[in-house]
Amino acid sequence: MTHPPADKLRCYVSCEADITTRLLVEAHLALCATCSATVAEHQRIAGELPEPTLHDELDRPPFDQVWKAVMRTTDRRSHPEAAVLPPPLLAVLPPPSGWRWVVVAWPLRVKLALLVRDTETGSALYLCHFAARSTFPRHHHVGLEENVILAGSYQNGAVHVSAGDWVTGAPGTVEVARSEDDGCWCLSRIERPGVRFTGWRGWVAPLFAR
Amino acid sequence: MRSPTGTSIRYRNLAGGDARSLGAMGESRSSIGDVRAEARALVTRIARGDREAFHAFYGYYGSRVMAMVRRRVTARQLAEDLVQDVFVAVWLGAPGYREEMGDPEQWLFGITRHKLQDHWRRMQGLLVAVGASGDQIQAEAPAQDFDLRLAVEEALASLPAEQRRVLDLIYDSGLTFSEAARALSVPLGTVKSRVHAAVLTLRAFFQRAERS
């Protein structure tokens, strides 16, 4: 398995990562025992929950109120397209029923949905699905692209990636990803100015470029 | 003094609260290791959808999460919302919890820190929207920013729930008005009017605060 750079994990623990990086790291942690242990060690040093005062005890919301909030959000888990995401992410993301899917390779072979955008950095997090044996069109990484493979696998040239892998597309590189028989679900974080398709798609589909 | 599952512990001055309802109120003393093991057992049960285990976990850790939140967020309504958000994340995240992620308390500490970070990010976005100085508020805000933090929190807490929800999607999740409308299943015009009303309320709040 390939892992995020150490500085990403440090930023995650110190809460300095933007929202898109944080969610991408959490997706990787859900699939990687090694990085989970590293983060736990950093977390142990970061501090602990303080002892409560009587006011804290009295002011915390009643359990029934918390339970109602839980019930309001658990329907997100049953949404078929959300089921592939590690559950902690669903507590942060907008409701799956509102995700807008965009098809980027016909007929309906590759689709993606914007999940969240960081208002400060402009980076965006997308959920991407490749049907079995489909190709994400050739594209330039104009900004940094980082992916975590959630399920299935794909091939990019000689590189094969599968569930849990952290895949970086540095600015200036080109990628053509082709899924295998099991298809592929991945989470993609795109930094500004995004990616640009090459060839005719570059004219008709300026995706991610905002 | 209670452990997560209701048995007595001697080193923590914390009333059992809701955990009492679970029974198992023996007077035996247990070690820190036992408490951790019991907390892990509760998380395992929560992962299976056990409401009683969740109740016990909340009974034990709810006040401590509130303590951490109240040291950084003054408005009680917002603090309650954040504690609620933390435990929703616990419920959703429990199936993914593994021992290598550390003790449940460490795991909970990490969730709470990130929820606080979400809160500050949302506040900064709002401050920019209403024309205040967003860079004055930081996650670990020093004492001199206390008045400003309090003002923003009070202003935010004064908004109706539907306006706060729209602001969350736009200033926390970074969605456009159209994307927020889709997420909430309401017309675009409704989102625009809610944001407009919220920003006017917040701006008026700050103008009043400046005058006084």
Side-chain angles (χ1 to χ4, degrees):
Chain A
M1 187 182 288
T2 51
H3 307 279
D7 66 314
K8 294 270 177 191
L9 295 182
R10 276 196 297 273
C11 282
Y12 170 77
V13 173
S14 61
C15 293
E16 289 163 13
D18 63 6
I19 183 72
T20 52
T21 300
R22 175 181 132 202
L23 295 177
L24 199 67
V25 169
E26 287 187 355
H28 176 75
L29 294 177
L31 297 163
C32 176
T34 309
C35 290
S36 293
T38 306
V39 164
E41 182 56 27
H42 288 318
Q43 203 91 266
R44 193 180 60 74
I45 298 163
E48 59 180 12
L49 292 169
E51 293 299 328
T53 63
L54 181 60
H55 283 296
D56 298 324
E57 180 73 32
L58 295 173
D59 286 352
R60 69 177 181 171
F63 176 73
D64 286 348
Q65 185 180 319
V66 175
W67 184 249
K68 277 182 191 161
V70 165
M71 289 296 100
R72 279 198 299 274
T73 50
T74 44
D75 61 328
R76 297 179 182 192
R77 287 165 91 167
S78 59
H79 199 280
E81 284 160 335
V84 70
L85 285 173
L89 272 65
L90 295 176
V92 180
L93 296 172
S97 53
W99 297 348
R100 183 183 173 205
W101 289 93
V102 177
V103 175
V104 294
W106 294 87
L108 304 176
R109 303 293 289 172
V110 179
K111 62 177 186 175
L112 51 90
L114 171 71
L115 301 182
V116 66
R117 190 180 290 119
D118 186 79
T119 47
E120 197 173 327
T121 64
S123 63
L125 192 70
Y126 294 86
L127 178 60
C128 184
H129 178 243
F130 297 57
R133 294 177 301 285
S134 59
T135 302
F136 194 99
R138 182 182 172 84
H139 57 280
H140 280 291
H141 298 132
V142 187
L144 176 69
E145 178 186 313
E146 295 170 298
N147 304 288
V148 168
I149 312 303
L150 300 171
S153 58
Y154 73 71
Q155 191 84 24
N156 175 26
V159 180
H160 179 265
V161 298
S162 56
D165 277 335
W166 180 284
V167 186
T168 302
T173 57
V174 177
E175 183 179 17
V176 186
R178 180 164 175 77
S179 65
E180 300 174 337
D181 291 348
D182 47 356
C184 184
W185 283 94
C186 71
L187 207 53
S188 296
R189 177 181 179 273
I190 313 280
E191 285 187 2
R192 278 180 175 163
V195 304
R196 287 192 197 285
F197 291 122
T198 58
W200 62 270
R201 289 179 198 275
W203 293 95
V204 299
L207 254 164
F208 310 132
R210 278 172 50 89
Chain B
M1 287 165 276
R2 310 293 171 194
S3 73
T5 49
T7 51
S8 296
I9 54 174
R10 61 188 164 82
Y11 58 88
R12 184 160 286 152
N13 184 21
L14 173 64
D18 296 324
R20 286 194 186 99
S21 62
L22 287 181
M25 305 289 276
E27 292 303 314
S28 65
R29 293 180 171 191
S30 56
S31 67
I32 293 174
D34 290 341
V35 173
R36 287 174 179 160
E38 287 173 11
R40 281 198 185 108
L42 282 180
V43 175
T44 305
R45 285 171 56 198
I46 294 169
R48 292 198 294 261
D50 186 331
R51 183 183 184 274
E52 280 206 340
F54 184 57
H55 195 170
F57 193 80
Y58 182 71
Y60 188 68
Y61 287 116
S63 307
R64 299 187 65 195
V65 170
M66 181 54 121
M68 183 165 167
V69 170
R70 283 303 289 269
R71 278 154 180 70
R72 293 163 177 81
V73 176
T74 315
R76 183 177 161 180
Q77 178 62 48
L78 291 183
E80 278 191 21
D81 287 353
L82 282 167
V83 171
Q84 200 169 284
D85 287 350
V86 168
F87 282 91
V88 168
V90 165
W91 177 265
L92 290 172
Y97 172 78
R98 301 185 309 271
E99 275 197 27
E100 58 266 24
M101 291 177 168
D103 297 327
E105 186 177 326
Q106 276 175 256
W107 176 64
L108 189 57
F109 175 76
I111 292 172
T112 308
R113 285 185 84 201
H114 281 124
K115 287 296 172 195
L116 284 164
Q117 184 66 18
D118 289 345
H119 170 68
W120 292 117
R121 194 181 53 248
R122 184 164 51 237
M123 299 264 276
Q124 282 181 316
L126 281 171
L127 280 171
V128 172
V130 299
S133 173
D135 57 4
Q136 290 180 57
I137 291 199
Q138 296 299 326
E140 305 288 340
Q144 62 264 34
D145 291 334
F146 180 81
D147 289 344
L148 180 60
R149 283 167 51 197
L150 186 59
V152 179
E153 288 170 5
E154 282 178 356
L156 196 54
S158 71
L159 295 175
E162 70 270 12
Q163 289 181 14
R164 271 164 47 196
R165 182 77 190 112
V166 169
L167 294 181
D168 276 355
L169 289 173
I170 291 170
Y171 296 105
D172 196 16
S173 299
L175 301 188
T176 62
F177 284 14
S178 305
E179 290 160 352
R182 207 174 299 116
L184 294 171
S185 303
V186 297
L188 176 61
T190 304
V191 167
K192 285 182 178 173
S193 61
R194 284 180 188 172
V195 171
H196 184 66
V199 168
L200 284 182
T201 306
L202 292 174
R203 199 169 281 155
F205 192 98
F206 282 111
Q207 283 166 352
R208 277 199 307 275
E210 269 178 29
R211 280 198 296 271
S212 62

